[in-house]
């Protein structure tokens, strides 16, 4: 999206939210932000003064003070409005449905979805809407979850695993399932999403509360300071009007950050929603920004989760490859044939790897062996190997090294020691070796070589972990694999540490150990056995495909069920904190510059020496005050896009981030008002103030 398009869209949003901003002028709403409430009270006071003693100056100040309050409300309204469209979509998904509830005697009764209670069992058939959140306890079905995830592809939900959770409002496409209801009506997943994306249930976070207290304290100090000015002015014989004092107060207090604070928090939650992540609280978003330890599951997060064939190693020596032995072509052919009927991801990867080295004609001939009467031998837990018996009597086998070697030995063949050496080398490297052997008619079986299967690390993971390291975040890989395999994967992925052969108790112990050191911990999980660790961690991200127990224990739910999303969540959390800090710095720096406009203007008549502080060369005292008030209002509108989009986050150390923000938003916050107020003064100085 181009900058001009973004500005056009923002302008439309401002116009659309104007009525809502006017409604937010209600004092029952405004008082929630102490800084804006002070401006609201000041606007009310100057309105009364302007009515009783009308003047161009009084009415100009009054109008721009009301504009300041209105712009502050508009910033919040625009931030809230961004979730309206998604909330409308979710409400459409939350249709009134009926449910077939199973009674204790096994019969079925039709009831309204709103009458379901926790523990009820409901039967859902193809084409029907799931009436409430729950877990599948019987059956397996494909479910359309596009209403909540935006993903059109259906997903599988089945009983007895970690992919049993279903969401009310989604539709069963095939087969039938029995669902145990786990939430009460009005508290479903979609209900919580609607409340959160609209901002209606958003609670202020600890950091936001702390900053609000700081801003309130500064406001009280400046109120007292302004109140003390009038007696001194009277004593000096230059009494100030109420309008001038109110204008001074509004320009002294941190109006900018006070106006944008709520919008920043709402926008941070909205950015998570745009990434299809539902944060149960703003506290979790902020905690993500302060995370220092990241626990990542190996399977499906760091690696693809399915072992893949990475190379075919032919055996050398007697009975193998080389002089008098099988060549590489024979190994490729045997690996291809033995995996044709293997529909596992590992088998498919072997076919793909072997196909790259075979001529097209050979592949086409092999693809027709089933039609020629070949018999495929499926893998079983007992034999631990698979293969094919061709029509000409040739037998090909592929499988675990000990199983295939035993098959070779039973039929009078020998396994070259080189094969066993390759098997041991692969195993020590953390991979899985599969031996390929063949037996031709009238010959003893031979071991042709070894397939190297390994859990492949996803592309770009090492670079992402380098970025996290630059952010000061320590990464720990959690896996149930043996330490040898874990060591290999950890080194390839570039994580800082790993926990091998991990149990739920081990995960809990690791999290508590990290937290005892003062670090915040984030982790992902999807199973019931992950629930204790998710609850213990500071940022627990549950997969939407996971169990209800995992989603209830976590404080975030990833609707896409992408474990790598945790890295994006950390970045969004940091962006939220940086945005709030940057705009706070900018706001306070703005106030410093405004002092040079207001203070000299108030007392230059009484103390001519103050003219030296009028570095902007403003025309008159009244034009200086009005220009400062106008700039104070307009800067809120100017910063709304930044508060919604967020300050761009670049992975780097805290010192570098602080230096950059001080230069950009600190120094920039001082310079901008000098330029802005001067330009406004050039215009307002021609008004009859």
């Amino acid at each position: 999206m181009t900058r001009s398009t973004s500005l056009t869209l923002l302008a439309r949003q401002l116009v659309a939210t104007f009525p809502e901003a006017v409604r937010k002028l209600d004092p029952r709403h405004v008082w929630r932000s102490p800084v804006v409430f002070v401006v609201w009270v000041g606007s009310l006071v100057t309105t009364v003064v302007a009515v009783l003693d009308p003047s161009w100056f009084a009415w100009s100040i009054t109008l721009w003070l009301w504009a300041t309050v209105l712009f502050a409300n508009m910033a919040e309204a625009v931030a809230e409005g961004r979730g309206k469209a998604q909330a409308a979509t979710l409400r459409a998904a939350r249709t009134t449905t009926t449910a077939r509830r199973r009674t204790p005697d096994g019969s079925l009764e039709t009831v309204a979805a709103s009458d379901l209670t926790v523990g009820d069992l409901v039967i859902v058939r193809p084409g029907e809407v799931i009436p409430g959140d729950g877990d599948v306890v019987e059956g397996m079905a494909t479910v359309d979850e596009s209403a909540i995830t935006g993903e059109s592809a259906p997903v599988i939900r089945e009983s007895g695993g970690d992919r049993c959770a279903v969401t009310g409002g989604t539709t069963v496409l095939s087969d039938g399932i029995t669902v145990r209801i786990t939430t009460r009506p009005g508290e479903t997943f979609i209900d919580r999403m609607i409340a959160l994306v609209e901002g209606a249930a958003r609670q202020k976070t600890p950091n936001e509360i702390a900053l609000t207290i700081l801003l309130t304290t500064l406001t009280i100090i400046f109120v007292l300071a302004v109140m003390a000015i009038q007696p001194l002015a009277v004593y000096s014989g230059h009494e100030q009007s109420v309008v001038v004092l109110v204008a001074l107060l509004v320009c002294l207090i941190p109006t900018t950050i006070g106006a944008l604070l709520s919008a920043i928090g709402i926008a941070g939650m909205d950015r998570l929603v745009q990434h299809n992540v539902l944060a149960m609280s703003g506290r979790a978003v902020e905690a993500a920004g302060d995370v220092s330890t990241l626990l990542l599951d190996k399977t499906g997060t760091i690696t693809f989760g399915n072992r893949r064939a990475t190379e075919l190693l032919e055996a050398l020596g007697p009975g193998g490859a080389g002089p008098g032995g099988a060549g590489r072509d024979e190994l490729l052919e045997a690996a291809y044939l033995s995996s044709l009927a293997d529909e596992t991801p590992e088998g498919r990867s072997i076919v793909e790897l072997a196909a790259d080295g075979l001529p097209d004609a050979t592949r086409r001939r092999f693809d027709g062996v089933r039609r020629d009467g070949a018999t495929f031998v499926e893998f079983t837990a007992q034999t631990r190997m698979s293969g094919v018996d061709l029509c000409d009597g040739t037998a090909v086998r592929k499988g675990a090294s000990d199983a295939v070697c035993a098959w070779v030995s039973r039929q009078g063949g020998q396994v070259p020691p080189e094969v066993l050496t390759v098997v041991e080398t692969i195993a020590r490297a953390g991979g899985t070796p599969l031996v390929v052997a063949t037996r031709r008619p009238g010959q003893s079986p031979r071991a042709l070589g070894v397939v190297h299967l390994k859990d492949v690390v996803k592309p770009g993971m090492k670079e992402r972990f380098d970025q996290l390291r630059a952010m000061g975040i320590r990464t720990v890989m959690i896996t149930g694999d043996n330490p040898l395999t874990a060591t290999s994967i950890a080194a390839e992925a570039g994580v800082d540490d790993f926990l091998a052969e991990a149990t739920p108790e081990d995960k809990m112990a690791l999290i508590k150990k990290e937290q005892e050191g003062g670090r915040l911990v984030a982790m992902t999980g999807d199973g019931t056995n992950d629930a204790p660790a998710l609850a213990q961690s500071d940022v627990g991200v549950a997969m939407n495909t996971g169990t209800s127990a995992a989603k209830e224990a976590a404080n975030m739910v990833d609707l896409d069920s992408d474990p790598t999303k945790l890295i994006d969540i950390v970045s969004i959390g940091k962006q939220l904190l940086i945005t709030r800090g940057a705009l706070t710095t900018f706001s306070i720096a703005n106030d410093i510059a405004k002092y040079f406009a207001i203070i000299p203007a108030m007392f230059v008549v009484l103390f001519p020496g103050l003219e030296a502080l009028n570095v902007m060369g403003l025309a008159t005292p009244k034009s200086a005050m009005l220009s400062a008030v106008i700039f104070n209002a307009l800067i809120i509108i100017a910063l709304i896009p930044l508060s919604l989009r967020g300050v761009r986050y670049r992975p780097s150390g805290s010192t570098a981030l602080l230096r950059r923000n001080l230069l950009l938003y600190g120094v920039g916050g001082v310079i901008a008002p000098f330029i802005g107020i001067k330009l406004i003064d050039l215009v307002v100085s021609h008004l009859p103030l």
Side-chain angles (χ1 to χ4, degrees), residues 62-357:
T62 299
L63 291 175
W64 280 103
L65 289 181
W66 281 117
T68 302
V69 181
L70 194 66
F71 292 163
N73 292 341
M74 202 172 287
E76 183 178 6
V78 170
E80 291 176 350
R82 299 178 73 179
K84 299 293 185 182
Q86 183 165 357
T89 302
L90 293 172
R91 281 198 176 90
R94 193 182 56 180
T95 55
T96 301
T97 60
T98 58
R100 287 199 298 273
R101 181 168 59 187
R102 182 188 295 173
T103 60
D105 61 6
S107 61
L108 298 179
E109 61 177 352
T110 301
V111 298
S114 58
D115 294 333
L116 294 174
T117 59
V118 175
D120 283 348
L121 296 177
V122 296
I123 310 299
V124 189
R125 300 304 180 197
E128 296 179 350
V129 175
I130 297 173
D133 293 357
D135 290 330
V136 178
V137 294
E138 294 178 14
M140 178 178 69
T142 55
V143 179
D144 176 11
E145 294 186 344
S146 58
I148 60 171
T149 65
E151 182 62 48
S152 58
V155 295
I156 302 293
R157 294 292 179 264
E158 58 186 338
S159 61
D162 291 340
R163 305 177 71 87
C164 64
V166 290
T167 304
T170 57
T171 305
V172 173
L173 299 180
S174 67
D175 305 293
I177 51 176
T178 301
V179 178
R180 178 182 288 114
I181 300 299
T182 57
T183 59
R184 292 187 291 270
E187 299 178 2
T188 64
F189 194 71
I190 289 183
D191 289 319
R192 285 183 289 171
M193 283 189 67
I194 292 172
L196 286 168
V197 298
E198 288 188 322
R202 192 187 77 89
Q203 301 295 321
K204 287 188 176 182
T205 63
N207 284 349
E208 193 173 346
I209 292 173
L211 184 54
T212 301
I213 293 173
L214 174 62
L215 297 179
T216 303
T217 303
L218 290 174
T219 301
I220 293 173
I221 291 173
F222 284 122
V223 168
L224 297 175
V226 171
M227 290 174 62
I229 286 177
Q230 186 69 325
L232 295 175
V234 172
Y235 177 78
S236 302
H238 193 69
E239 182 178 353
Q240 300 294 325
S241 68
V242 173
V243 174
V244 170
L245 292 175
V246 171
L248 172 63
L249 176 61
V250 171
C251 290
L252 288 179
I253 62 178
T255 313
T256 306
I257 185 61
L260 297 174
L261 186 58
S262 180
I264 294 170
I266 295 173
M269 299 281 284
D270 182 66
R271 280 193 291 275
L272 275 179
V273 173
Q274 291 175 12
H275 280 72
N276 263 2
V277 177
L278 176 63
M280 303 304 180
S281 70
R283 180 191 296 267
V285 185
E286 285 190 349
D290 287 328
V291 160
S292 53
T293 301
L294 210 56
L295 305 185
L296 297 164
D297 187 44
K298 175 185 74 70
T299 305
T301 304
I302 296 175
T303 65
F304 283 102
N306 298 313
R307 295 171 301 172
R308 297 187 176 188
T310 57
E311 55 183 340
L312 297 173
L313 304 170
E314 63 266 29
L316 301 175
R328 180 166 184 80
D329 290 344
E330 189 174 3
L331 173 61
L332 291 172
E333 293 174 1
Y336 189 90
L337 281 169
S338 63
S339 303
L340 274 178
D342 188 348
E343 294 299 331
T344 64
E346 292 87 349
R348 295 297 87 200
S349 69
I350 294 174
V351 170
E352 292 172 4
L353 182 63
D356 290 339

Side-chain angles (χ1 to χ4, degrees), residues 5 204 304 360 372 625:
T5 304
K204 287 188 176 182
F304 283 102
D360 292 342
D372 296 338
M625 294 176 192

Side-chain angles (χ1 to χ4, degrees), residues 347-370:
R348 295 297 87 200
S349 69
I350 294 174
V351 170
E352 292 172 4
L353 182 63
D356 290 339
L358 292 175
D360 292 342
T362 302
R363 291 203 306 272
R364 287 193 295 268
R365 178 165 54 87
F366 286 166
D367 290 341
V369 295
R370 188 188 295 273

Side-chain angles (χ1 to χ4, degrees), residues 294 296 298 302-303 457-458 460-470 473-477 486-498 567:
L294 210 56
L296 297 164
K298 175 185 74 70
I302 296 175
T303 65
V457 174
K458 292 180 179 179
M461 292 305 296
K462 190 176 183 66
E463 290 74 17
R464 300 196 76 174
F465 290 140
D466 288 339
Q467 292 179 353
L468 290 170
R469 197 171 295 111
I473 297 176
R474 178 171 171 265
T475 53
V476 181
M477 182 185 75
T487 301
S488 174
I489 296 295
E492 184 177 352
V495 296
D496 297 309
D497 200 356
F498 66 87
I567 299 175

Side-chain angles (χ1 to χ4, degrees), residues 65 93 336-337 440 448 459 501 529 549:
L65 289 181
Y336 189 90
L337 281 169
R440 296 189 181 279
L448 304 179
E501 298 178 341
N529 63 340

